Amino acid sequence: MWLFNSSIGRKVVMSVTGMALILFLTFHMSMNVVALFSEDGYNMICEMLGANWYAVAATAGLAALAVAHIFYAFVLTAQNRKARGESKYAVTDKPAKVEWASQNMLVLGIIVLVGLCLHLYDFWAKMMLQELIGGDTMYATDGAYWIRHTFSDPIHVVIYLIWLVALWFHLTHGFWSALQTVGWNGKTWFCRWKIISIVYSTLLFAGFAIVVLYFACCGMCGSCC
C-alpha cells in the first residue's frame, strides 16, 4: 500500500499522527492548567478518566499513534541518509533559510521520547496502571498529589523544562510541516502556518511550563500554595 511503502505515504502517516498527538497535547495542557485553579477540579478529571474502558481505549490509541510517529521518523531519517549516500560525509555550509529545528528534528524527537517515558513513569504508571493491575491505588486518582510530589524535586523540574523546550522546537517545525505535507501549502498560507505554529507551540509550552514552575514554587515555599 502506497501509504506505508512510499516516501510520500510515510510522510503523510507522520503528519497525520503528529497532528493527532498535537490535539492530545492541547487537551492534556488544558487539563493540567485546571490544577492551577482547583486541585479538587483536577482530581475530578483524573477520576473521570481513571481506568474506565474509554480512557484505556484512548490511551491504547495514543500509544499506537506515538509508536507509528516515532517508527516512521526513524524510517524516513534512515531513508534520507541512504539517499544522500557518500555526500553525507561532505563538509557543507548549512543553508541559511533552513530552520535549526528542521535540521535537528530527530535529536529533538529523541529528547521528547525520553521525556515522555519519564512522564509515563511519574504519572501514568502511578495512576492508571495501578488501577489496571490492582496495585497501590491510594493515590490513583489524586493527580494533584503527584504533581506536587514530582515538582518538589528540582532535578525533575529542570528535566521537564528541558523536555518542554525540546517539544517546543519540535512542534514549531512539525506543526506547519505536517500541514504542508497533507496539501495545505498554498503560497498565501505558507508563512501564516509558520506563524500559527510558533504561536500555538508557545501557548502549549507556556501552559505546561507554568504548571511545572507553579508547583515547583509551592514545593519551595512549603504550604503557601
Side-chain angles (χ1 to χ4, degrees):
M1 184 178 179
W2 74 271
L3 192 61
F4 303 103
N5 296 329
S6 68
S7 176
I8 295 177
R10 295 186 186 110
K11 289 180 180 178
V12 170
V13 173
M14 275 279 292
S15 300
V16 173
T17 55
M19 287 188 287
L21 291 171
I22 289 174
L23 289 175
F24 167 71
L25 286 172
T26 303
F27 166 76
H28 194 18
M29 182 272 290
S30 303
M31 172 182 166
N32 285 4
V33 169
V34 173
L36 297 176
F37 305 98
S38 172
E39 292 189 8
D40 289 337
Y42 180 74
N43 285 340
M44 285 178 62
I45 298 174
C46 292
E47 186 174 1
M48 180 186 70
L49 295 177
N52 298 300
W53 69 266
Y54 50 83
V56 175
T59 301
L62 283 168
L65 288 171
V67 169
H69 191 75
I70 295 165
F71 173 77
Y72 279 104
F74 280 103
V75 169
L76 287 170
T77 299
Q79 178 180 298
N80 291 337
R81 288 183 176 178
K82 183 178 180 180
R84 287 199 302 268
E86 294 299 324
S87 64
K88 64 184 177 182
Y89 298 107
V91 178
T92 57
D93 294 328
K94 294 182 178 179
K97 293 185 178 180
V98 177
E99 299 174 344
W100 180 87
S102 175
Q103 297 171 339
N104 296 277
M105 284 296 279
L106 183 62
V107 174
L108 291 170
I110 291 173
I111 296 174
V112 171
L113 175 61
V114 172
L116 175 61
C117 291
L118 176 64
H119 185 64
L120 290 173
Y121 172 77
D122 285 334
F123 294 94
W124 182 81
K126 296 171 183 176
M127 297 175 70
M128 182 183 286
L129 180 60
Q130 293 304 315
E131 288 191 77
L132 291 173
I133 65 176
D136 183 4
T137 58
M138 175 178 285
Y139 299 108
T141 58
D142 193 352
Y145 167 82
W146 289 115
I147 292 179
R148 291 194 306 271
H149 174 77
T150 301
F151 299 127
S152 64
D153 177 13
I155 295 177
H156 265 78
V157 173
V158 172
I159 292 174
Y160 269 81
L161 290 177
I162 292 173
W163 175 38
L164 292 174
V165 169
L167 183 62
W168 182 87
F169 276 109
H170 194 75
L171 291 179
T172 53
H173 174 77
F175 191 115
W176 68 261
S177 180
L179 293 170
Q180 185 182 44
T181 298
V182 296
W184 293 355
N185 57 347
K187 185 176 180 180
T188 302
W189 274 93
F190 182 72
C191 291
R192 294 178 184 177
W193 281 127
K194 280 194 170 185
I195 295 173
I196 292 172
S197 297
I198 293 173
V199 172
Y200 199 87
S201 300
T202 301
L203 290 174
L204 280 177
F205 169 82
F208 282 117
I210 288 172
V211 173
V212 172
L213 293 174
Y214 175 82
F215 282 96
C217 289
C218 287
M220 290 187 290
C221 298
S223 60
C224 64
C225 294

